[in-house]
């Protein structure tokens, strides 16, 4: 109880309160603006948080994350353009409702469902994190090394059809992370004779470049501007009441969202679609979906906000981010010298509870903003990419320069921006690269610590039940995507056999 | 495969990027061979694996194998279709798209070159105005007002709130000496 009071008191400190409000507004804006999203906005803000206290910086980033998905629902409903992968299913019934003059009702449903779903996810996070963090006490250096490799393997191979490219991106990230001082021997590696590279590549600059500038370059190339904007007309409070008419849908969607959130790499884009399709499947009137059924907005919105809490569980307890936004958050934790896991919960309990309280308040804030300010915020949808692109580029450069006052950091950001652009165009997922950059030094440090303990015996990596389990998971994660074509062939063969047996007369 | 076919395969990002990565990681791998065992162990292991994967990927690209074909998820395609249906200024013309990309890239080079010559404020202002215009936004007054507010706001946040000294530039440093 004391910790909750500390958290509550902490949130009202001026710097933290400012971070909460600013982050919530920025998050909604990033969800609405085309081509931006939580990952880009958090990457953009990351260098600025360097000069803030850990609490204020983390609260700012988490508020952006917590409210971004809700911002995307506004464009889904009004313009039929999803803010991101998490809002696709909302378009199916949200936009038809807007076309029927019920945009306000749809926004009301999205707001209340997002609020309840988000709070549910946070409650699960609050109760599930401490025991999982306590479990991480059993992890030694060998287990932490295996955990880092497992996290990379899962994230690298999750993207459908891109497993090979994901692994290449992860390998690339690991090699870049090895540049600079070797943490074990103190030897400088891969500096190419440049003094700047003796400290390695600053991962914040690389992260900002890859995510934010890469996306800005893609937006610059594609151009475009949303032509038509729907208007929010009345009925927001009617939408609130409608949510409580479908308790089964609400509960089912929240559970789906939270569960999917805990699975690294899978959660955000899958949760809303699965929640929607399950709602259609169990409905007595499935034919009404796609024409403006309120449950068609309720289900995906409850799920995509419940995902947030679920995704934070592996991030805060084990240091395995569940998404690209979680990877940025992990980068922030490392930047502040905070280690995810038991240490975070026992060494910084006041910070952890400030984070929990901030997440709860961020949910309430976006609900208030969405209820009364959806119309003016919605106008941001028509901001052309011609204005968004230079804004992102300049903000990234300013943020990178602010880190150490070195123009070389800006150059690194620009170079990785170009790399991020090429990766996106060539279909290489960027999250494995960034994750490898962050986890590379941790993995190497624990690798050598483990070998030191075992006096050079590599069997230490398979000596405990946990590391054997992690190794099995790594093998599964690395091989499963490549078995996909065989699985499809078997399915088709089974289907063909079944069809043949149906046709053969008895 | 004829020369045009090879050229079409090669001049694509999904071929150029793995080639560049092969070059970069190959260089690091060779350098690592000269390091002590402890310093080289993981770089050689990870570098070797990544080089193997890159060779596989390049092999798929060159042979046009189906195994190398990426699958666009339903969600990605849906987002693209929805965006395309509501956008007012589609950029189907590849020349316009290349021009826009080049504008963004050159703006980054401009910033890096001129920030230490004329300083943060003039560089950012010029970049903002010119890039917004070149990317197709034609409301000049809005462009100017936005650029002034954005650069001014950034200067205030950095210079006063975050207390970070921004480059004044050689030209203005001499003028104010």
């Amino acid at each position: 109880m004391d910790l909750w009071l500390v958290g509550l008191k902490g949130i009202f400190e001026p710097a933290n309160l400012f971070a909460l409000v600013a982050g919530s507004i920025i998050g909604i804006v990033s969800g609405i603006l085309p081509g931006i999203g939580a990952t880009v906005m958090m990457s953009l803000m990351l260098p600025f948080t360097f000069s803030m206290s850990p609490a204020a910086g983390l609260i700012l980033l988490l508020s952006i994350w917590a409210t971004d998905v809700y911002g995307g629902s506004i464009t889904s409903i009004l313009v039929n353009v999803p803010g991101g992968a998490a809002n696709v299913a909302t378009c199916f019934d949200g936009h038809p409702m807007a076309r029927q003059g019920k945009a306000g009702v749809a926004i009301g449903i999205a707001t209340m469902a997002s609020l309840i779903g988000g709070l549910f996810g946070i409650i699960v996070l609050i109760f599930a994190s401490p025991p999982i963090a306590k479990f991480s006490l059993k992890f030694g250096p060998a287990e932490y090394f295996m955990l880092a490799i497992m996290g990379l393997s899962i994230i690298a191979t999750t993207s459908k059809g891109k497993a090979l490219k994901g692994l290449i991106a992860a390998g690339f990230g690991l090699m870049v992370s090895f540049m600079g001082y070797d943490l074990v021997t103190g030897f400088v590696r891969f500096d190419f004779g440049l003094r700047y590279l003796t400290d390695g590549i600053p991962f914040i600059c690389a992260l900002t470049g890859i995510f934010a500038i890469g996306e800005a370059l893609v937006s610059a190339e594609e151009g475009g501007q949303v032509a038509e904007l729907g208007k929010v007309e009345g009925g927001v409070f009617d939408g609130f009441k409608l949510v409580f008419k479908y308790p089964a849908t609400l509960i089912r969607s929240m559970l789906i969202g939270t569960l999917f959130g805990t699975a690294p790499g899978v959660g955000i884009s899958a949760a809303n679609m699965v929640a929607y399709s399950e709602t259609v499947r169990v409905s007595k009137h499935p034919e009404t979906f796609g024409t403006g059924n309120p449950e068609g907005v309720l289900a995906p919105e409850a799920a995509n906000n419940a995902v947030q809490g679920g995704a934070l569980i592996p991030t805060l307890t084990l240091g395995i981010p569940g998404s690209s936004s979680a990877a940025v958050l992990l980068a922030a934790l490392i930047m502040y010298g905070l280690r995810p896991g038991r240490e975070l919960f026992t060494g910084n309990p006041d910070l952890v509870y400030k984070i929990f309280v901030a997440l709860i308040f961020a949910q309430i804030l976006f609900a208030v903003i969405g209820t009364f300010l959806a119309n003016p915020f919605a106008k941001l949808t028509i901001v052309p990419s011609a204005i968004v692109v230079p804004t992102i580029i300049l903000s990234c450069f300013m943020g990178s320069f602010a880190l150490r006052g070195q123009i070389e950091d800006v150059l690194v950001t620009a170079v990785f921006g170009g790399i991020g652009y090429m990766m996106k165009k060539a279909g290489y997922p960027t999250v494995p690269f960034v994750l490898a950059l962050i986890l590379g030094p941790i993995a190497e440090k624990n690798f050598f610590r483990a070998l030191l303990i075992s006096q050079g015996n590599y069997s230490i990596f398979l000596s405990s039940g946990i590391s054997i389990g992690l190794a099995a998971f790594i093998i599964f994660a690395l091989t499963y995507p490549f078995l996909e074509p065989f699985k499809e062939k078997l399915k088709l063969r089974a289907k063909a056999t079944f069809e043949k047996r149906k046709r053969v007369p008895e | 495969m004829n020369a045009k076919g090879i050229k079409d395969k090669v001049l694509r990002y999904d071929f150029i990027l793995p080639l560049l990565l092969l070059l970069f990681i190959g260089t690091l791998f060779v350098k690592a061979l000269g390091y002590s065992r402890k310093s080289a162990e993981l770089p050689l292991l990870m570098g070797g694996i990544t080089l193997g994967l890159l060779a596989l990927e390049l092999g798929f690209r060159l042979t046009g194998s189906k195994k190398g074909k990426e699958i666009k998820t339903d969600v990605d395609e849906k987002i693209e279709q929805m965006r395309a249906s509501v956008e007012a200024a589609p950029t189907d013309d590849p020349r316009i798209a290349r021009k826009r990309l080049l504008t963004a890239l050159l703006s980054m080079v401009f910033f890096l070159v001129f920030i230490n010559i004329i300083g943060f404020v003039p560089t950012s202002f010029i970049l903002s105005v010119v890039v917004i215009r070149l990317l197709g936004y034609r409301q000049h007054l809005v462009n100017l007002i936005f650029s002034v507010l954005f650069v001014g706001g950034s200067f205030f946040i950095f210079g006063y709130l975050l207390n970070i000294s921004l480059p004044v530039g050689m030209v203005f440093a001499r003028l104010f000496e």
Side-chain angles (χ1 to χ4, degrees):
Chain A
M1 197 51 167
D2 290 337
L3 285 168
W4 280 108
L5 285 170
V6 167
L8 202 62
K9 201 173 142 194
I11 212 70
F12 287 102
E13 283 166 22
N16 297 342
L17 190 61
F18 174 76
L20 174 69
V21 174
S24 301
I25 295 173
I26 292 169
I28 295 179
V29 167
S30 73
I32 289 174
L33 282 174
I36 318 290
T39 306
V40 171
M41 196 53 87
M42 287 168 75
S43 311
L44 238 152
M45 291 288 124
L46 188 60
F48 297 97
T49 62
F50 198 62
S51 55
M52 295 174 157
S53 69
L58 289 169
I59 287 170
L60 177 73
L61 294 174
L62 282 163
S63 306
I64 293 171
W65 189 25
T67 56
D68 169 79
V69 168
Y70 171 70
S73 67
I74 297 179
T75 61
S76 296
I77 291 165
L78 296 180
V79 193
N80 202 30
V81 172
N87 303 108
V88 171
T90 309
C91 298
F92 301 157
D93 282 279
H95 192 61
M97 285 183 79
R99 281 205 308 266
Q100 292 160 19
K102 294 186 208 164
V105 176
I107 294 218
I109 295 171
T111 305
M112 185 53 72
S114 297
L115 173 64
I116 298 173
L119 287 174
F120 178 80
I122 293 164
I123 290 167
V124 170
L125 165 71
I126 289 167
F127 285 103
S129 318
I132 296 174
K134 199 174 168 188
F135 174 70
S136 74
L137 259 181
K138 297 185 181 177
F139 283 53
E143 286 76 17
Y144 271 114
F145 171 73
M146 298 297 273
L147 188 68
I149 301 298
M150 187 198 79
L152 277 173
S153 309
I154 295 174
I155 296 287
T157 54
T158 297
S159 304
K160 196 174 172 184
K162 290 183 187 177
L164 183 57
K165 287 179 175 174
L167 288 170
I168 290 170
F172 174 42
L174 281 172
M175 294 306 287
V176 172
S177 79
F178 293 144
M179 293 172 80
Y181 276 114
D182 177 357
L183 292 167
V184 178
T185 63
F187 181 71
V188 177
R189 294 180 298 199
F190 312 127
D191 63 334
F192 297 97
L194 297 168
R195 216 174 60 168
Y196 176 79
L197 290 178
T198 51
D199 285 329
I201 299 284
F203 70 79
I204 293 175
C205 298
L207 197 149
T208 309
I210 286 272
F211 281 146
I213 296 205
E215 192 60 51
L217 291 175
V218 171
S219 293
E221 191 184 33
E222 287 172 358
Q225 175 183 349
V226 169
E228 228 178 281
L229 177 66
K231 207 176 164 190
V232 179
E233 287 166 321
V236 173
F237 291 99
D238 293 334
F240 286 176
K241 289 183 226 164
L242 266 176
V243 167
F244 298 101
K245 278 181 77 178
Y246 306 100
T249 304
L250 186 63
I251 292 168
R252 183 179 51 246
S253 304
M254 290 189 312
L255 286 169
I256 289 172
T258 310
L259 201 64
F260 272 71
T262 56
V266 173
I268 305 267
S269 53
N272 74 117
M273 297 293 272
V274 170
Y276 183 85
S277 51
E278 275 302 296
T279 304
V280 173
R281 192 181 65 80
V282 304
S283 170
K284 288 181 186 147
H285 302 284
E287 71 283 356
T288 61
F289 284 82
T291 64
N293 189 321
E295 282 184 279
V297 177
L298 195 168
E301 285 302 311
N304 66 23
N305 279 269
V307 158
Q308 318 283 24
L312 273 178
I313 295 172
T315 309
L316 293 180
T317 58
L318 299 171
I320 305 294
S323 62
S324 51
S325 318
V328 179
L329 195 68
L330 182 64
L333 284 168
I334 291 169
M335 186 179 79
Y336 286 124
L338 299 166
R339 190 174 148 172
R342 179 80 178 152
E343 268 178 48
L344 182 67
F345 286 80
T346 54
N348 302 277
D350 51 337
L351 175 66
V352 170
Y353 277 83
K354 279 179 195 167
I355 287 173
F356 290 159
V357 171
L359 282 169
I360 294 170
F361 272 76
Q363 303 290 320
I364 298 169
L365 257 175
F366 82 58
V368 169
I369 293 171
T371 305
F372 298 106
L373 296 172
N375 244 333
F377 269 104
K379 287 192 170 70
L380 289 168
T381 326
I382 56 173
V383 172
S385 64
I387 289 184
V388 171
V389 166
T391 309
I392 293 177
I393 291 174
L394 276 173
S395 304
C396 287
F397 282 176
M398 284 189 274
S400 300
F401 186 82
L403 282 173
R404 300 186 290 188
Q406 291 184 25
I407 199 70
E408 289 87 346
D409 289 340
V410 181
L411 179 62
V412 166
T413 305
V415 167
F416 277 92
I419 293 171
Y421 167 80
M422 287 186 76
M423 287 177 80
K424 283 181 205 298
K425 296 301 283 188
Y428 282 72
T430 48
V431 180
F433 170 82
V434 169
L435 196 59
L437 205 59
I438 297 167
L439 292 180
I442 296 170
E444 191 176 24
K445 200 167 63 181
N446 284 295
F447 179 77
F448 283 108
R449 270 193 194 150
L451 286 179
L452 205 65
I453 292 168
S454 67
Q455 292 175 332
N457 191 345
Y458 288 91
S459 64
I460 190 171
F461 295 107
L462 292 171
S463 59
S464 70
I466 295 173
S467 46
I468 292 172
L470 290 170
F473 214 94
I474 291 167
I475 293 168
F476 173 74
L478 291 173
T479 50
Y480 182 77
F482 301 101
L483 296 173
E484 211 47 55
F486 297 104
K487 228 177 74 175
E488 288 298 319
K489 265 190 192 156
L490 281 168
K491 250 193 222 171
L492 283 169
R493 204 177 280 176
K495 195 178 172 187
T497 313
F498 175 70
E499 294 293 323
K500 201 175 168 185
R501 283 194 184 144
K502 258 174 59 175
R503 277 197 299 262
V504 168
E506 287 184 35
Chain B
M1 195 189 301
N2 60 17
K4 187 178 185 302
I6 293 172
K7 188 183 160 195
D8 285 340
K9 272 197 191 312
V10 165
L11 290 180
R12 284 159 53 104
Y13 287 115
D14 56 2
F15 188 84
I16 293 172
L17 182 64
L19 208 60
L20 287 172
L21 289 178
L22 195 73
L23 203 67
F24 175 71
I25 294 172
T27 308
L28 296 189
F29 187 86
V30 166
K31 278 183 98 63
L33 289 169
Y35 296 155
S36 67
R37 191 183 156 214
K38 264 196 178 146
S39 292
E41 196 161 359
L42 275 186
L44 284 174
L45 176 66
M46 296 302 170
I49 293 171
T50 312
L51 286 171
L53 293 171
L54 277 164
L56 206 63
E57 173 68 17
L58 280 167
F60 288 148
R61 294 287 142 216
L62 275 172
T63 57
S65 161
K66 274 187 191 170
K67 281 183 188 158
K69 209 174 175 176
E70 71 184 61
I71 301 163
K72 241 189 193 158
T73 65
D74 294 337
V75 173
D76 293 332
E77 275 183 5
K78 204 122 205 144
I79 294 178
E80 273 183 28
Q81 279 168 11
M82 284 168 164
R83 286 220 168 107
S85 69
V86 296
E87 293 213 325
T91 47
D92 289 329
D93 188 347
R95 282 177 303 178
I96 294 175
R98 266 200 297 272
K99 184 187 155 199
R100 293 171 64 95
L101 176 66
L102 204 61
T103 302
L105 287 170
L106 286 174
S107 72
M108 286 162 43
V109 173
F110 171 82
F111 185 91
L112 287 164
V113 168
F114 282 93
I115 189 169
N116 278 330
I117 299 174
I118 56 174
F120 167 80
V121 171
T123 308
S124 304
F125 179 74
I126 294 168
L127 188 155
S128 178
V129 169
V130 171
V131 170
I132 290 174
R133 175 64 190 86
L134 287 177
L135 290 181
Y137 191 72
R138 295 186 193 283
Q139 295 187 43
H140 305 300
L141 187 61
V142 174
N143 181 356
L144 269 170
I145 293 170
F146 172 79
S147 298
V148 166
L149 288 173
F150 177 63
V151 174
S154 308
F155 184 74
F156 175 73
I157 290 170
F158 277 88
Y160 290 96
L161 289 182
L162 297 177
N163 214 20
I164 293 162
S165 56
L166 295 165
V168 178
M170 290 186 312
V171 169
F172 291 101
R174 282 212 183 114
L175 274 174
F176 292 120
E177 257 173 19

